[in-house]
Amino acid sequence: MSHEVVEVISRPSPVIQEPVAGAPAATSLASPSFQAIHALSIMSGTPNHGINNGSPKSPFAMRRIMTPIASPMKKAIESMQDCLEEIGHFTKLDPQEAWLPITESRNGNAYYAAFHALSSGIGVQALVLPLAFTALGWTWGIISLSLAFAWQLYTLWLLIQLHESVPGMRYSRYLWLSIAAFGNKLAKLLALFPTMYLSGGTCVALIMIGSESMKMFSQIVCDNTNPQLTMMEWYLLFTISAIILAQLPNLNSIAGVSLIGAITAVSYCTMIWVVSIVKDRPRDVSYEPILFKSEIGRICSILNALGIIAFAFRGHNLVLEIQGTMPSSLKNPSRIPMWKGLQFSYLIIALCLFPLAIGGYWAYGNLIPANGGMMSALYRYHKNDTSKVILGVTSLFIVLNSLTSFQLYAMPVFDNLEFRYTSNNNRPCPWWLRAGLRMFFGFLAFFIAVALPFLPSLAGLIGGITLPVTLAYPCLMWIMIKKPVKYGVMWYLNWSLGILGIVMSILLVFGAIWTIVTQGIEVHFFKPQ
């Protein structure tokens, strides 16, 4: 019997190759610990979970297992195998994983996932959704919003399934999964800029919107009796607050912060649309489509509206990162609690976005301000007939949600900066350097916000650029990694959605640029207003 064990252990086995440059390496199937368990599983008759080297089981081993003496041994072997499965899928994680903010802690759960998804999924981008209806109208506005919601929910499911699609590997970053699917060069070309832009660009937009809400809250509370700060000083105050909060070490440590962000996001969205439909509508409200001098102008306006809807559903660059904070085993894979958390959170998101878009368009029609969306409309048309408490609390909730969302969207940037240090020095990032890197990013975002204060007016363009990350790439990555049956349902579905997403992205970018050129935007560098 000992001879059989030695023979199985010494038999050569394949090695799981590292699919991503810089990603955690999987353990060799030839490692002594793995082969010992594999040999014991052969003798005990227990399943090997799909890992088979093709050799028949020994008849002597099977005969021994059938004896009463072997029963306690079989139970002990099964217990040991289950224990090792719980530890990590027979996979030894790269120590660097434990040094990075996203994967430093792996004690997340479905509740944490729901908090993070709600905080990032409902944001200030939802406040501009009624603007899309001014170009699309009632019917096509509702249809487009519903299709976009269903499409992005499907791609969320794809990403969750792809997180552990390769045995012994966890893709805890969107870029790593892209490299595994498209290759190193193509993935960096397609995914690196959009995902980093989503993180950094969203943080810049949050500084602008959060600062404007802070100023609005101050005006409501102080009733314009006290001297007001300049807009640049509000930017600086918000940025310092965000940097202080950003000193929390990892993604799991901000679960409580995300809970506050989720509560405030649901609250201010509900308050805004309820007040808007309860109060009297403006007298000159109209739902007539906007007239354009040319047909191409109308088409580009529609494309820009679709870009605004796409921008409202950004955030897929955070899904794999959130799932990477969860423990996982063969019996309890991380995709189960992750999907449960996202199902709950996106039910709440739908109950916020649809009433906000439909109710906002019903209340204001074509009068919705292009800058600020629903919050600006509420303040402009109902400032005098709405309680200052409601206006003040709504503004405060937007500030709190902006601060908490900043932490979530900045985390991939923090992770990437620390990854460079740990890769070069093979040791964790010291606390003082970690704090310095986060301060550097915060003030860089502040500088961009001050230099380019008109960025929120580019919501349609931003939505077009980032649309493939949300709607196209997950479908194509499923085909490249899962390799579904050719000409099957999943093959046709994902190819169709992937190609459609790429084409729509190109059209939306063209439409947004045309709209900016023809209608113009107020460009003012280094003059935040």
Side-chain angles (χ1 to χ4, degrees):
M1 185 170 181
S2 62
H3 173 71
E4 184 182 6
V5 175
V6 172
E7 180 183 358
V8 175
I9 295 177
S10 61
R11 187 180 297 119
S13 301
V15 176
I16 298 179
Q17 299 294 331
E18 181 182 0
V20 180
T27 298
S28 169
L29 295 182
S31 63
S33 60
F34 175 82
Q35 291 289 6
I37 294 302
H38 187 40
L40 291 174
S41 67
I42 291 177
M43 292 186 295
S44 64
T46 55
N48 62 0
H49 299 280
I51 304 176
N52 192 352
N53 54 16
S55 61
K57 297 179 181 179
S58 169
F60 298 101
M62 294 302 295
R63 192 179 301 122
R64 290 176 185 272
I65 288 304
M66 297 304 293
T67 64
I69 299 177
S71 296
M73 181 179 180
K74 180 179 179 180
K75 292 180 180 179
I77 292 171
E78 289 176 346
S79 299
M80 182 184 298
Q81 188 174 8
D82 291 341
C83 178
L84 287 179
E85 288 174 1
E86 294 294 328
I87 291 176
H89 296 227
F90 301 118
T91 303
K92 181 180 179 182
L93 295 176
D94 192 330
Q96 189 180 13
E97 286 280 87
W99 300 339
L100 300 176
I102 290 176
T103 49
E104 187 176 64
S105 171
R106 289 190 184 268
N107 60 352
N109 51 48
Y111 297 102
Y112 286 12
F115 300 159
H116 292 319
L118 278 171
S119 182
S120 60
I122 307 176
V124 291
Q125 76 278 0
L127 299 179
V128 297
L129 273 177
L131 283 173
F133 280 63
T134 61
L136 298 173
W138 282 113
T139 303
W140 286 109
I142 295 174
I143 291 175
S144 300
L145 186 62
S146 302
L147 290 178
F149 183 82
W151 190 351
Q152 61 91 34
L153 196 61
Y154 170 69
T155 54
L156 274 174
W157 180 82
L158 292 181
L159 289 175
I160 292 172
Q161 302 302 313
L162 289 172
H163 179 82
E164 294 174 293
S165 54
V166 177
M169 170 62 81
R170 295 187 66 178
Y171 297 105
S172 299
R173 282 90 176 161
Y174 192 99
L175 181 60
W176 289 3
L177 183 62
S178 301
I179 293 176
F182 305 131
N184 192 24
K185 293 183 179 179
L186 185 59
K188 289 183 177 180
L189 177 65
L190 295 177
L192 181 60
F193 172 75
T195 53
M196 288 297 104
Y197 181 82
L198 269 175
S199 294
T202 302
C203 289
V204 172
L206 288 171
I207 290 177
M208 298 178 185
I209 297 169
S211 302
E212 292 173 1
S213 300
M214 291 177 75
K215 179 181 179 180
M216 189 178 298
F217 175 76
S218 174
Q219 291 174 343
I220 294 171
V221 172
C222 300
D223 200 19
N224 292 325
T225 56
N226 295 336
Q228 292 292 322
L229 300 176
T230 64
M231 201 65 238
M232 186 177 297
E233 291 171 335
W234 285 117
Y235 279 19
L236 183 60
L237 179 60
F238 181 91
T239 303
I240 292 174
S241 302
I243 290 175
I244 293 174
L245 199 56
Q247 300 310 312
L248 292 171
N250 54 62
L251 193 54
N252 269 339
S253 67
I254 63 172
V257 174
S258 293
L259 174 59
I260 296 174
I263 294 173
T264 54
V266 173
S267 299
Y268 77 69
C269 284
T270 304
M271 293 171 67
I272 289 175
W273 72 259
V274 167
V275 171
S276 296
I277 65 174
V278 168
K279 299 294 182 179
D280 294 333
R281 290 180 292 175
R283 293 181 180 179
D284 50 350
V285 63
S286 173
Y287 307 108
E288 293 296 326
I290 301 175
L291 298 178
F292 293 91
K293 297 180 180 179
S294 62
E295 186 68 16
I296 191 172
R298 186 179 68 85
I299 294 175
C300 290
S301 177
I302 293 174
L303 292 175
N304 188 58
L306 294 176
I308 292 175
I309 293 177
F311 181 61
F313 293 118
R314 89 278 184 272
H316 280 39
N317 61 314
L318 298 176
V319 174
L320 295 172
E321 284 80 351
I322 295 172
Q323 190 173 353
T325 65
M326 295 181 173
S328 186
S329 67
L330 290 176
K331 288 188 175 180
N332 299 293
S334 61
R335 66 176 179 271
I336 296 176
M338 184 65 186
W339 182 238
K340 288 181 179 179
L342 282 186
Q343 282 179 303
F344 171 78
S345 63
Y346 272 81
L347 174 62
I348 304 299
I349 290 172
L351 294 176
C352 290
L353 296 189
F354 280 86
L356 191 66
I358 298 173
Y361 184 59
W362 177 87
Y364 306 113
N366 295 334
L367 300 178
I368 299 175
N371 293 327
M374 287 291 290
M375 189 59 197
S376 296
L378 180 68
Y379 196 73
R380 176 183 297 180
Y381 300 115
H382 300 296
K383 178 181 178 181
N384 298 323
D385 61 357
T386 303
S387 169
K388 288 186 178 181
V389 175
I390 294 178
L391 294 175
V393 169
T394 303
S395 301
L396 180 61
F397 281 173
I398 293 178
V399 173
L400 293 176
N401 177 252
S402 299
L403 283 172
T404 56
S405 298
F406 185 96
Q407 314 308 314
L408 276 171
Y409 281 97
M411 196 60 71
V413 180
F414 299 157
D415 187 87
N416 189 54
L417 292 174
E418 294 186 30
F419 175 79
R420 303 302 173 188
Y421 176 86
T422 55
S423 298
N424 294 332
N425 297 277
N426 196 29
R427 61 178 180 178
C429 196
W431 70 267
W432 56 268
L433 182 57
R434 169 176 283 187
L437 290 173
R438 298 184 180 196
M439 291 178 62
F440 167 76
F441 171 74
F443 284 112
L444 177 62
F446 164 77
F447 174 79
I448 297 175
V450 172
L452 308 173
F454 53 88
L455 279 181
S457 302
L458 305 178
L461 178 61
I462 297 172
I465 294 174
T466 58
L467 182 142
V469 174
T470 303
L471 302 180
Y473 294 160
C475 301
L476 300 178
M477 289 190 289
W478 179 274
I479 294 174
M480 299 300 177
I481 295 177
K482 285 289 190 178
K483 301 188 183 304
V485 178
K486 197 172 184 179
Y487 306 121
V489 175
M490 291 297 288
W491 188 88
Y492 273 118
L493 178 62
N494 286 291
W495 268 120
S496 301
L497 293 179
I499 295 174
L500 179 61
I502 297 295
V503 173
M504 282 187 61
S505 175
I506 297 173
L507 292 177
L508 294 185
V509 171
F510 172 77
I513 294 175
W514 181 274
T515 302
I516 292 172
V517 172
T518 55
Q519 297 185 7
I521 59 173
E522 187 177 351
V523 178
H524 39 86
F525 298 97
F526 293 99
K527 292 181 180 180
Q529 299 176 354

